[in-house]
Amino acid sequence: MMNPLHIPPFHAGKGKPLFFILGPCVIESRHHTLYMAEMLTKMANELSIPFVFKASFDKANRTSIHGFRGPGLEEGLAILQEVRETFHMPVLTDIHDAGQAKAVAAVVDILQIPAFLSRQTDLLAAAAATEKVVNIKKGQFLAPWDMKEAVNKCFESGNQQVMLTERGSCFGYNNLVADMRAIPEMQKLDVPVVFDATHSAQLPGGRGNETGGMREFVPTLAKSAVAAGADGIFMEIHHDPDHALSDSATQWPLDKTFELISELKILAAIIRS
């Protein structure tokens, strides 16, 4: 088991500083993605925080067939490669089927397994086989301790560079609840645990043809997760969330991100001392 993990240029996990995974939900365009990467890189440098940039080339899990999905694999990877080479930070993106793993691993540092796919054996094994860090999002339908077998699928495929992300659990219809006990429970698996503060504020399908959410609770959830001992915080960030092409109800505003991260950094220092 590798805890902490090495995500060049930093280490994440046990005994290491709180790190952040930040970026827009989906690649809306080359220009927008590079702009967001530039702004977040400047912020991370000013705050001296370990930082991973995230953006998805395809959002396969949409409420409606008409929902915006992104530019697709080829164009999306070209944009992510440009981000990585321009701003010199680690990059994360999702994969949705085993056939994408090798191509994506050639460009990014972390392969992310979406929550609804967290039990898919072939997908986990293919991601692990790339020897890149694998971030498995806990399924909304799974208990924290159920993630043991998802982790083992990667370990037994020859890759111990694994981390888990809590993103809320189904709570009745069109609602999620974030159980902070999940963080220490999953840390018992001896892997770093991240908390996804923006997806945990979702109301899945809450707008009928798209997912709703309660963005105002993102800071409360993020602070609670830091207090519970999370190793990292995941937040989707957008310069104009209300007009974002995906997850417009929960992405956090870019102009409020510096203040929130500053508070989380201070809280982490207090908790960890």
Side-chain angles (χ1 to χ4, degrees), residues 8-61:
F10 64 88
H11 287 81
K14 188 179 296 182
K16 300 301 178 181
L18 182 70
F19 74 101
F20 292 85
I21 300 172
L22 307 168
C25 176
V26 66
I27 297 172
E28 297 187 0
S29 68
R30 173 183 174 274
H31 172 76
H32 181 257
T33 305
L34 288 168
Y35 170 75
M36 292 300 299
E38 180 181 7
M39 294 298 101
L40 290 170
T41 299
K42 288 179 178 178
M43 192 178 301
N45 289 339
E46 187 171 347
L47 288 166
S48 298
I49 56 167
F51 160 55
V52 176
F53 180 80
K54 72 81 51 184
S56 298
F57 60 82
D58 180 21
K59 301 299 290 186
N61 174 29

